[in-house]
Amino acid sequence: MESYEPERLSPVQLAAMRRSLTSGRGALTRRSLLRASGMGALALGGIATLGACGIPPAGRAEGAAAADDHSAKEKEVTFSNWTEYMDVSDDEKSRPTLEAFTKRTGIRVKYTEDINDNVEFFGKIKPQLAAGQNTGRDLICVTDWLAARIIRLGWAQKLDPSNLPHAFANVSAQFRTPDWDPGRAYSYPWTGIPTVIAYNAKATGGRKVDSVTQLLDDPKLKGRVSFLSEMRDTVGMTLLDQGKDPGKFTDTDFDGAIGRLQKAVDKKQIRRFTGNDYTADLSKGDIAACVGWAGDIIQLQADNPDIKFAIPAAGYITSSDNLLVPAQARHKTNAEKLIDYYYEPPVAAQLAAYINYVCPVDGVRDELAKIDESMASNTLILPDREMAAKSRSFRSLSTEEETAYEEKFAKLIGA
């Protein structure tokens, strides 16, 4: 693990982040498809902060030094999460799983929906983390690339396995060993976010679309195909289609994927590269088929039975949002108990039934079926063994790689 990282972001990286905030996955909400709708100028201010200064030396290389833990005397935990990422009662006045946790353990949860975007949130907590100060949060939920950065900088506390028996036993195999936290020593996934192929069966004349090759080459789809403006999703899916592993690819592999996409752009096979705004075009049939996010597809299917999805035989990309305990958190043990609680299958099922994202907890299917049989059989929420085996993650990038790759991708999509 690195103990220092000169995090001065390049203009290319900043442009990619702005794309994500305004139209990409960073702009998704958990249920309304507008994740960063309330972000406003504050998020861009967070980007400016990241770009304007380097990150100073982090803590110890093996991770954050353990802070004084006040969990035994202070029965509380402060949890920062995304909006609409927690179950809510029908009258919207309570959060059932959190209330049940407090009733069982006596630990009061201060739950705050103050994460609108990864970059903005990192801008909030970075000064305290860099200074070795408590952020005021015991548990945070951030996307994999930011979780990797926080761990690499030594700003996350190593978790105590003795407090996480359910989490250790029940985390799904596809989420167990990310390259940025092998064995989940510092983090546990909250949800998975699959990137799949989606199509409007009415617009395709009833034909199934189930490969990136088909998107790029099928003349019947010419001008009615879209890919995502998020580099990891679009390039990752293309790498898989070319028989390359997104977790191990080389510069040559990346250039080959960009070249493959460029050919489709040049012959006008691809209509455009989009953020989550592809959903309206797909539903109307203006886009016949695309690369899209599973959470969107579940929402669209509720209103339009013509919307279908396919998992390519070559595989698909899955990213994740992850729970970490920040350096100097005051209630580490309480935070670990809360993490472990959400890895109990009945609790995980209750959460999954509300938020509709991939549940990373094994053994949850029967419990979810008690709540909603259709959700229990939806592989976009609970991937079956065959689908899970096709899941791949985009590998971690160095600062130099990210700059170079985003520059090439920006040229491809005309950003």
Side-chain angles (χ1 to χ4, degrees), residues 167-363:
F168 182 80
N170 294 336
V171 63
S172 299
Q174 73 178 100
F175 296 103
R176 190 174 286 274
T177 56
D179 67 351
W180 46 270
D181 187 17
R184 292 291 182 180
Y186 295 88
S187 69
Y188 272 91
W190 181 249
T191 56
I193 308 169
T195 302
V196 299
I197 291 178
Y199 61 99
N200 185 318
K202 184 176 181 180
T204 64
R207 293 186 309 119
K208 184 177 183 179
V209 181
D210 60 3
S211 72
V212 170
T213 292
Q214 195 173 353
L215 291 175
L216 295 176
D217 293 337
D218 187 341
K220 293 182 179 179
L221 297 176
K222 184 174 181 178
R224 298 190 297 151
V225 168
S226 70
F227 279 72
L228 293 167
S229 58
E230 296 277 358
M231 181 267 288
R232 288 169 175 81
D233 297 290
T234 286
V235 174
M237 291 290 281
T238 306
L239 284 167
L240 283 167
D241 190 70
Q242 295 179 306
K244 306 297 182 180
D245 185 348
K248 299 177 181 178
F249 68 89
T250 64
D251 288 349
T252 300
D253 296 333
F254 183 89
D255 290 344
I258 292 292
R260 178 86 170 89
L261 290 161
Q262 186 65 58
K263 288 181 181 178
V265 170
D266 293 342
K267 67 182 182 181
K268 303 189 185 307
Q269 178 79 7
I270 297 176
R271 178 169 179 159
R272 62 193 184 105
F273 293 86
T274 76
N276 68 297
D277 52 329
Y278 71 88
T279 56
D281 286 344
L282 180 63
S283 188
K284 289 186 296 183
D286 293 340
I287 290 292
C290 65
V291 170
W293 292 302
D296 291 354
I297 308 312
I298 294 173
Q299 297 292 326
L300 291 176
Q301 287 179 325
D303 298 318
N304 187 343
D306 290 321
I307 302 303
K308 311 292 183 182
F309 77 93
I311 302 300
Y316 66 102
I317 294 291
T318 300
S319 57
S320 58
D321 285 336
N322 306 271
L323 301 171
L324 295 88
V325 178
Q328 301 303 316
R330 188 175 177 88
H331 308 106
K332 176 175 178 283
T333 297
N334 291 345
E336 291 167 337
K337 289 180 179 179
L338 186 58
I339 294 172
D340 196 62
Y341 170 73
Y342 279 102
Y343 273 80
E344 297 178 19
V347 180
Q350 193 170 346
L351 179 68
Y354 185 82
I355 64 175
N356 297 169
Y357 277 75
V358 168
C359 179
V361 181
D362 276 344

Side-chain angles (χ1 to χ4, degrees), residues 194 294 298 309 311 316 358 365 374-384 387:
I298 294 173
F309 77 93
I311 302 300
Y316 66 102
V358 168
R365 189 176 304 278
S374 66
M375 288 187 179
S377 60
N378 189 332
T379 53
L380 293 182
I381 297 175
L382 293 182
D384 57 24
M387 180 172 168

Side-chain angles (χ1 to χ4, degrees), residues 21-183:
L21 298 187
T22 56
S23 63
R25 194 169 66 220
L28 296 173
T29 61
R30 302 306 171 183
R31 292 174 72 84
S32 68
L33 310 180
L34 293 173
R35 174 165 158 176
S37 60
M39 168 181 57
L42 181 59
L44 294 179
I47 291 179
T49 299
L50 287 176
C53 61
I55 291 179
R60 297 167 60 186
E62 64 270 25
D68 292 336
D69 192 349
H70 299 265
S71 293
K73 293 183 178 180
E74 298 176 2
K75 293 292 188 178
E76 60 185 84
V77 60
T78 301
F79 181 9
S80 284
N81 205 350
W82 298 83
T83 58
E84 301 186 54
Y85 223 11
M86 179 65 71
D87 57 301
V88 178
S89 61
D90 291 339
D91 62 9
E92 299 186 352
K93 293 182 179 180
S94 64
R95 302 186 183 280
T97 57
L98 288 178
E99 290 191 357
F101 174 78
T102 297
K103 184 176 181 180
R104 181 200 296 183
T105 65
I107 299 170
R108 181 175 61 88
V109 181
K110 181 181 178 182
Y111 184 77
T112 307
E113 294 180 328
D114 62 343
I115 305 180
N116 291 313
D117 165 79
N118 288 288
V119 178
E120 172 200 349
F121 183 68
F122 191 49
K124 288 180 184 178
I125 64 175
K126 182 172 71 72
Q128 288 90 353
L129 291 171
Q133 299 172 352
N134 182 6
T135 66
R137 300 164 176 87
D138 302 305
L139 191 62
I140 61 175
C141 182
V142 294
T143 303
D144 42 22
W145 65 266
L146 181 54
R149 182 175 294 171
I150 290 172
I151 292 169
R152 186 170 67 246
L153 289 166
W155 291 346
Q157 295 194 51
K158 194 169 186 177
L159 301 174
D160 183 349
S162 67
N163 291 327
L164 296 157
H166 295 97
F168 182 80
N170 294 336
V171 63
S172 299
Q174 73 178 100
F175 296 103
R176 190 174 286 274
T177 56
D179 67 351
W180 46 270
D181 187 17

